[in-house]
Amino acid sequence: MEVRVENGGSCEVGKSGWGQSLPVPSIQEIVRSDFQSVPQRYIHENKGGPIISEDLADSLEIPVIDFSFLAKGDEDEVQKLHLACKDWGFFQVINHGVKEEILEKMKAAVAAFFELPFQEKKKYAKAENEIEGYGQNFVVSEHQKLDWSDMIFLFTFPSQNRNFKFWPLSLPGFKEALEEYSREMQKLAEELQANFSVLMGLKRDGLKRLQGGELKQGIRMNYYPICSRPDLVLGISPHSDGTSFTLLLQDDDVTGLQIKHNEAWVPVKPIPNSLIVNIGDATEIQSNGMYKSIEHRAVTNEKKPRISIATFMFPDDEQEIGPVETMIDDQNRPKLYRNIKYVDYVREKFSRKMEGKAHTQFAKLRATSDH
Ligand code: OGA
Ligand code: NI
């Protein structure tokens, strides 16, 4: 039942050059054959940190940003964005202008992919030396605990980075839905990036220049099957994203994402038709720690599978990423991170299991305990 390609073979890091990950069983298949089973390898002994109670969580909702105000240059909304990135590292975006139909088509396409027979999905399985395709990433040892999810990761922008051998082209409508969706995310991302630039004291195109032109894009589609013992497992282990920022689309009616805020896990209640945005490590580094790349995880439930679609926006591989001059002040805000070629950062991230923010030490000038 392992998601392993028959002709994978080679040990060299694959085409993207980002890394590799060991083949693992499909948890969707395990649950399909026995929905009660919770194999030992999925049991996380120490899940770490208290969970905020439902009551408290209601008063602790992550900030909501109205994108239509942002796009008009509304000063108050830009200030709200600043506080959201600084205090939370996460926000929900409403009035983003992406048609509901495009979001629904995308969700339906992803649902249809995971409903395909396993033999069909396996045709798009990632090779061991790749991170693109169907399977799971961040598995670096045979002894490591596994997460209660399957995924398919595809590079989407620039379009020449698309490897159609991993795209389920036999699935009617999938390619069109993903192309349309990724185009919309690219547009949204450009406006967000321009706003982050201004907030960092740069011109609107400042970050674009520092990140090597148009942001790159890859989309990770996650499938979390039901679990008979959600208390024992994790849908996705705590981690921060190694991106500039991430745009997340999720089911409207299943809560699963939790973010670490003041040392506790805060559930994020979906707002229908909104997108969740989180700051990634590259922005934390460029903002010299002002904007936080927050640890997050996903939990599962007994009743309903959950799908989420994470659009990762990231700089060019060859670009050197470091705190921008305007965010460094030797007296009050000394440089906290070293300059580092983005591909070196990503390779470090993909060479480890997901473990909070441990991988971010790689870019820090001094070791800290914030992971
Ligand atoms: C991710 C991620 C969270 C979710 O794919 O990086 O954090 O809710 N997903 O699925
Ligand atoms: Ni994430």
Side-chain angles (χ1 to χ4, degrees), residues 109-161:
V110 177
F113 171 73
F114 284 106
E115 276 159 22
L116 287 174
F118 185 54
Q119 288 309 325
E120 188 60 29
K121 278 182 287 197
K122 264 182 83 165
K123 292 183 185 159
Y124 312 104
K126 50 172 235 70
E128 205 168 313
N129 63 350
E130 291 279 0
I131 51 138
E132 192 171 19
Y134 169 60
Q136 202 38 283
N137 277 323
F138 305 103
V139 182
V140 295
S141 132
E142 297 290 350
H143 307 291
Q144 178 185 331
K145 293 292 178 187
L146 298 180
D147 290 338
W148 202 263
S149 54
D150 294 342
M151 64 109 220
I152 176 166
F153 177 67
L154 299 171
F155 286 108
T156 39
F157 266 98
S159 49
Q160 62 268 27
N161 283 5

Side-chain angles (χ1 to χ4, degrees), residues 239 241 296 312:
H239 67 282
D241 294 348
H296 52 285
F312 297 127

Side-chain angles (χ1 to χ4, degrees), residues 15 123-125 127 130 154 162-169:
K15 194 170 166 209
K123 292 183 185 159
Y124 312 104
E130 291 279 0
L154 299 171
R162 293 176 187 172
N163 288 317
F164 287 113
K165 70 170 178 175
F166 295 115
W167 289 47
L169 298 179

Side-chain angles (χ1 to χ4, degrees), residues 90 236 239-241 246 257 278 296 310 312 354:
F90 259 89
I236 194 167
H239 67 282
S240 66
D241 294 348
T246 305
L257 175 65
N278 63 287
H296 52 285
F312 297 127
M354 279 189 176

Side-chain angles (χ1 to χ4, degrees), residues 327-339:
M327 299 303 283
I328 304 170
D329 168 352
D330 288 338
Q331 298 299 310
N332 303 310
R333 190 167 260 282
K335 189 172 167 178
L336 294 176
Y337 306 85
R338 63 194 174 97
N339 288 18

Side-chain angles (χ1 to χ4, degrees), residues 90 138 151 220-224 235-237 239-241 246 248-250 256-258 276 278 296-299 306-312 349 354:
F90 259 89
F138 305 103
M151 64 109 220
R220 177 180 159 123
M221 295 151 257
N222 299 301
Y223 181 87
Y224 303 97
I236 194 167
S237 289
H239 67 282
S240 66
D241 294 348
T246 305
L248 187 84
L249 176 65
Q250 53 170 345
L257 175 65
Q258 299 183 337
I276 292 168
N278 63 287
H296 52 285
R297 68 180 190 182
V299 296
R306 173 172 175 263
I307 282 174
S308 73
I309 301 159
T311 304
F312 297 127
K349 164 123 179 120
M354 279 189 176

Side-chain angles (χ1 to χ4, degrees), residues 212-274:
E214 303 272 300
L215 281 166
K216 308 285 188 287
Q217 190 195 86
I219 300 193
R220 177 180 159 123
M221 295 151 257
N222 299 301
Y223 181 87
Y224 303 97
I226 55 165
C227 180
S228 64
R229 291 294 306 273
D231 55 319
L232 298 180
V233 308
L234 281 168
I236 194 167
S237 289
H239 67 282
S240 66
D241 294 348
T243 55
S244 294
F245 54 94
T246 305
L247 302 145
L248 187 84
L249 176 65
Q250 53 170 345
D251 286 335
D252 292 339
D253 55 348
V254 200
T255 305
L257 175 65
Q258 299 183 337
I259 71 167
K260 206 163 200 183
H261 184 70
N262 296 336
E263 293 309 304
W265 291 106
V266 179
V268 176
K269 279 222 198 93
I271 302 177
N273 289 320
S274 72

